[in-house]
Amino acid sequence: IRDGYVENVADELEVGQEVQVRVVSVDVDAGKLSLSMKEEWSGGDREPADLSPFEGVEPDQWLSGKVARIASFGAFVTVTAPDSDAEADGLVHVTQIKDGYVENVADEL
C-alpha cells in the first residue's frame, strides 16, 4: 500500500476509493493476481531480499519458519531456504492460515 509498516489498512484506504496499482504476478492456474500500490523499488531503508535461493522450492514443499510479525491480514514468517543459510520474510495471508474463517490471526498462531 505504501512504504513502511501499515498497522491498519482502513487508515490508508476506504471501500470505493480509486487507486493506481501495478501487476506484481499472475498465477492463472491458481486464479491469483497480486497487485501493488508501491513503486517496484522505492529506495526505502533496506535493499530488496535476495530470493534466488528459494527459486527451486516447489509449492508442495513445506518449510519451517518463525512468525516475525502479525497483522490483521496475516502473518509475516521468516523462512530459511533448503540447503542454505539464506533467509527471507514472506506473508501468509489470513486466507492461507487454515480452512474456514479466521477471526483473529494471533489466536491461530
Side-chain angles (χ1 to χ4, degrees):
I1 294 174
R2 66 173 173 82
D3 284 334
Y5 177 67
V6 174
E7 185 168 334
N8 185 352
V9 175
D11 291 341
E12 305 292 327
L13 301 169
E14 62 185 53
V15 174
Q17 178 180 348
E18 297 268 340
V19 296
Q20 291 290 309
V21 298
R22 65 182 182 81
V23 176
V24 175
S25 65
V26 178
D27 185 339
V28 174
D29 295 332
K32 294 185 178 181
L33 175 67
S34 293
L35 304 172
S36 177
M37 292 173 56
K38 294 171 48 174
E39 294 292 327
E40 190 163 350
W41 173 243
S42 59
D45 57 353
R46 63 181 183 177
E47 291 294 316
D50 175 14
L51 300 178
S52 60
F54 294 89
E55 286 180 320
V57 177
E58 296 295 326
D60 62 349
Q61 182 176 354
W62 291 90
L63 302 176
S64 294
K66 184 175 182 178
V67 175
R69 191 167 79 244
I70 294 175
S72 61
F73 53 84
F76 291 90
V77 177
T78 303
V79 293
T80 304
D83 304 319
S84 172
D85 291 334
E87 289 186 335
D89 288 347
L91 172 66
V92 179
H93 191 266
V94 66
T95 60
Q96 299 297 312
I97 292 175
K98 73 172 191 174
D99 288 333
Y101 180 71
V102 173
E103 173 115 14
N104 185 330
V105 174
D107 290 346
E108 301 297 330
L109 303 175

